[in-house]
Amino acid sequence: MFTPATDANLADLRAALPDGTFKDATDSYLTEPRGRWQGAGTVVAPGTTDAVSRILAYCNDHRIAVVPYGGGTGLVGGQLMGDGAVPLVLSLERMTAIRDRFPSENVLVVEAGAILADVQAEAERLGRHFPLSLASEGSARIGGLLSTNAGGVNVLRYGNARAQCLGLEVVRPDGTIWHGLTRLRKDNTGYDLRDLFIGAEGTLGIITAAALRLVPQPVRIGAAMMAVPSPQAALDLLGVAQGRLGDGISAFEIIHRQGLDFLAEVGPDVKPPFAETPEWMVLIDVGLPAGLSPDTALEDLFTEAVAADLVIDGVIAQSMADRAAFWKIRESIPEANRRIGSISSHDISVPLSAVPEFIARGAPVLAEIGHFRINCFGHLGDGNLHYNVFPMPGRNRADYEAERPAVKKAVHDLAHAFGGSVSAEHGVGRLKVGDLETYSDPAKLAMMRAIKDALDPHGIMNPGAVLRQA
């Protein structure tokens, strides 16, 4: 059993930690972005790995729950705890240092509180590129991104957060520090502990620093928006594009017109790419080496795709401003979704070849439950769809609370039937603990529980996240 941190516990910690470690528990720490979850807790923001170690050791000894907190951008409730004994919320916001730079090795060593946009800027300053990219990059922190194995728009080319990390520094629940900040690409010396902590959502320990893999900067960058007649045509277009450009494709996003209709209805303001919004469109982003022209490559792709009846219309960026305008559309859709207010949002993935059939079957399945608007968009290049269900015009999500469980179950059942995942890139958190139990192999769950019990025997780390609290 956990115990809440008493005044005496907090006095002990204040005496053991530097001034400025304790923070006011404002709403920013205790409310998740969609407003569906409310947490509680005393907030501490240690400035060093040693301070993190002292905090965890004390909490482990006194059975005080600890909830790790990065940028607070998670969408599945993993960064806050509202039930049970009031926890200690451990924020990494003060641990933002760039510890080491190794440009000749394409490596950057950063602390876990570093904001993704700042890491991208530092890589740029070194003449390199850190390819992890997502809408929340101005506030998301490296520790949280690794703890959730975040995805984003460049997974097609560069992989998830896991693929961008070479080594970790981690504080275990008992306060011991694992000094695993290796910069090696090859190291077959036993279990890969790095991959154990990446994606664990702070349930096994706290990531305090990481050795990140950088890549060369693409020299020539381009983008295009192409209207396609169907999701199957979009998938076929991806195959043609990969045949022409190979690894030169950085991102390949599918967008349904509902997303643009929402933007027109509630903003943010964007410039529509087409005079008449098509039913489906794709955003293609390319990065090529010197000597190759993105404009020519995209024009040739467009010509071939039109001849094959895969594309109806297209716009190729003529400047970096045009490219930014295309991406503003894609990156503004989640904000428009938030303003409309979803009944149920789903971060699912299915095998690539199953994407068109999943989309085709989704609407009829939901129609059996009620009348909804569906905004389906996402990372077609890696099979990850954000399949979100919204109220009809003139109604709000509160009107659909009775239907919400059935909507979620229908979408997740369908994804599972296709051999997919109910959490492609957002993690499990507290929101999807039941889904993990429903759709996972029992052997997998048993191994996860054994790992949790071995590394965190008192269960103090983010209790109730990923695995149900024992």
Side-chain angles (χ1 to χ4, degrees), residues 127-151:
R128 302 293 189 271
H129 179 54
F130 184 62
L132 187 62
S133 179
L134 57 162
S136 60
E137 60 195 31
S139 52
R141 299 180 186 272
I142 292 298
L145 293 165
L146 290 172
S147 292
T148 55
N149 189 29

Side-chain angles (χ1 to χ4, degrees), residues 159-170:
N160 287 50
R162 185 186 307 278
Q164 320 308 326
C165 181
L166 296 173
L168 293 175
E169 177 185 85
V170 176

Side-chain angles (χ1 to χ4, degrees), residues 135 259 263 267-270 327-337:
L263 287 167
D269 292 333
V270 298
W327 275 107
K328 183 179 179 182
I329 294 169
R330 168 60 182 86
E331 292 170 350
S332 296
I333 290 173
E335 174 59 21
N337 286 348

Side-chain angles (χ1 to χ4, degrees), residues 52 56 60 66-68 146-147 162 168-178 192-208 447-467:
V52 175
L56 290 195
N60 194 56
V66 178
V67 176
L146 290 172
S147 292
R162 185 186 307 278
L168 293 175
E169 177 185 85
V170 176
V171 181
R172 294 175 53 197
D174 64 0
T176 58
I177 301 170
W178 172 45
D192 193 335
L193 299 178
R194 173 201 62 179
D195 277 356
L196 187 61
F197 287 98
I198 295 175
E201 301 187 45
T203 60
L204 303 179
I206 292 183
I207 295 171
T208 50
M447 288 188 285
M448 289 175 63
R449 177 65 68 183
I451 292 168
K452 171 71 171 174
D453 291 345
L455 294 184
D456 182 21
H458 299 310
I460 69 163
M461 296 305 307
N462 216 1
V466 183
L467 293 173

Side-chain angles (χ1 to χ4, degrees), residues 2 36 113 218 224 281 326 434 445:
F2 302 115
R36 289 193 178 274
M281 64 208 87
F326 292 166
L445 290 173

